[in-house]
């Protein structure tokens, strides 16, 4: 399995589970988009979660290592689009981070409207610089929007890992709960946010995020033109 969707009244729940590190391979991304196509855009709330101990470890490094430029470009393009689509999603988005959130996984956290993590030996980390990679504009703008200025250098430029406890102050998460309480907490929050009216929530979200969303979209389009 890669991604599946289920519904509880007006709440859509997407679960990522590849049985391993929940990497965003092309297969995972396409499966996730199939799920997203079923989510209501004018009512309710979206919850995204992962498998026990792992929300996501980011892009599929095996695809990068393959050297196949076409596959790499397709995967990264889909990943960029996912960030934009979650960041601008017209209804509230909650991430129930079920464990580690690394690289693209942590960027997804920064796109969501509310993020719940779990206690334990789990980390949130933007590790690109430590892996000799840069963070492009479309991702950097989203990080700048959510990460605390106090922790920005350590989190982004220095690529340091944050425990889930410290990740709340850093801006990766909004709260943490015990593992066994994660989905209960996420669904309680979702039930509340699902009551927010349409299109009032969508409009207010757009007003708040429009400047950054335009920069992200422009950077995405430049990347597409370069690689596709």
């Amino acid at each position: 399995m890669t991604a599946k969707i289920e519904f509880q009244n007006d709440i859509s729940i997407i679960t990522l589970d590849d049985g391993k590190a929940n990497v965003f391979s092309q297969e995972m991304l396409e499966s996730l988009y199939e799920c997203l196509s079923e989510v209501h855009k004018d009512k309710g709330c979206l919850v995204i979660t992962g498998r026990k101990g792992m929300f996501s470890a980011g892009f599929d490094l095996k695809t990068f290592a393959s050297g196949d430029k076409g596959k790499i470009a397709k995967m990264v393009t889909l990943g960029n689009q996912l960030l934009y689509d979650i960041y601008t999603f017209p209804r509230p988005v909650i991430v129930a981070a079920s464990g580690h959130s690394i690289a693209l996984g942590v960027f997804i956290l920064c796109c969501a409207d509310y993020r719940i993590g779990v206690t334990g030996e789990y980390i949130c980390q933007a590790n690109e610089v430590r892996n000799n990679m840069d963070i492009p504009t479309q991702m950097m703008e989203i990080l700048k929007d959510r990460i605390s200025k106090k922790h920005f250098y350590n989190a982004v430029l220095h690529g340091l890992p944050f425990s889930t406890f410290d990740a709340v102050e850093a801006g990766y998460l909004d709260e943490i709960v015990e593992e066994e309480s994660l989905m209960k907490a996420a669904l309680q929050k979702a039930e509340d946010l699902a009551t927010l009216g349409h299109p009032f929530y969508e409009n207010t979200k757009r007003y708040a995020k429009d400047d950054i969303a335009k920069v992200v979209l422009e950077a995405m389009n430049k990347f597409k033109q370069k690689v596709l």
Side-chain angles (χ1 to χ4, degrees):
M1 183 182 82
T2 47
K4 70 173 184 178
I5 189 168
E6 58 185 307
F7 303 94
Q8 292 191 22
N9 298 320
D10 283 344
I11 301 170
S12 305
I13 306 165
I14 295 177
T15 302
L16 313 177
D17 188 354
D18 66 2
K20 299 177 183 178
N22 272 357
V23 295
F24 286 104
S25 61
Q26 181 175 336
E27 180 184 15
M28 173 67 89
L29 288 161
E30 289 175 345
S31 176
L32 179 51
Y33 264 105
E34 288 181 14
C35 294
L36 283 172
S37 69
E38 299 183 44
V39 178
H40 292 293
K41 306 297 192 299
D42 58 356
K43 65 178 181 178
C45 184
L46 169 62
V47 176
I48 304 174
T49 191
R51 58 192 296 269
K52 182 177 173 61
M54 179 62 71
F55 176 59
S56 175
F59 276 126
D60 181 15
L61 297 182
K62 290 183 179 179
T63 300
F64 285 126
S66 73
D68 187 322
K69 294 183 179 179
K71 287 185 178 179
I72 293 170
K74 181 65 173 176
M75 179 182 72
V76 175
T77 298
L78 281 172
N80 287 339
Q81 188 67 50
L82 178 65
L83 292 177
Y84 179 80
D85 288 346
I86 293 178
Y87 188 71
T88 61
F89 198 77
R91 294 302 301 163
V93 179
I94 296 171
V95 168
S98 50
H100 297 297
S101 301
I102 300 168
L104 188 64
V106 92
F107 301 155
I108 297 294
L109 294 185
C110 291
C111 290
D113 302 304
Y114 198 81
R115 300 78 46 88
I116 307 174
V118 292
T119 58
E121 300 297 316
Y122 302 120
I123 62 169
C124 296
Q125 183 180 21
N127 64 352
E128 280 70 16
V129 174
R130 291 195 174 263
N131 287 330
N132 297 319
M133 302 170 70
D134 57 19
I135 299 177
T137 298
Q138 59 269 30
M139 298 174 180
M140 184 64 75
E141 289 298 311
I142 292 168
L143 287 172
K144 286 161 62 177
D145 186 36
R146 300 308 295 274
I147 300 303
S148 162
K149 288 185 178 180
K150 177 181 176 181
H151 296 283
F152 188 84
Y153 273 68
N154 280 333
V156 180
L157 297 185
H158 304 161
L160 295 180
F162 285 73
S163 70
T164 51
F165 178 81
D166 292 332
V168 174
E169 183 179 343
Y172 285 129
L173 297 171
D174 293 295
E175 67 170 299
I176 54 172
V177 297
E178 298 294 327
E179 284 190 79
E180 62 270 19
S181 301
L182 177 63
M183 289 311 296
K184 179 180 179 182
L187 291 173
Q188 285 179 339
K189 189 68 177 179
E191 287 172 1
D192 173 42
L193 297 187
T195 65
L196 298 174
H198 180 80
F200 313 106
Y201 183 84
E202 178 183 8
N203 291 340
T204 304
K205 190 175 189 178
R206 186 175 66 253
Y207 303 151
K209 295 186 172 187
D210 195 46
D211 289 346
I212 292 171
K214 286 178 180 177
V215 175
V216 171
L217 183 61
E218 181 180 1
M220 283 171 43
N221 288 336
K222 285 182 179 178
F223 177 82
K224 283 191 212 177
Q225 293 170 4
K226 182 178 179 180
V227 301
L228 296 180

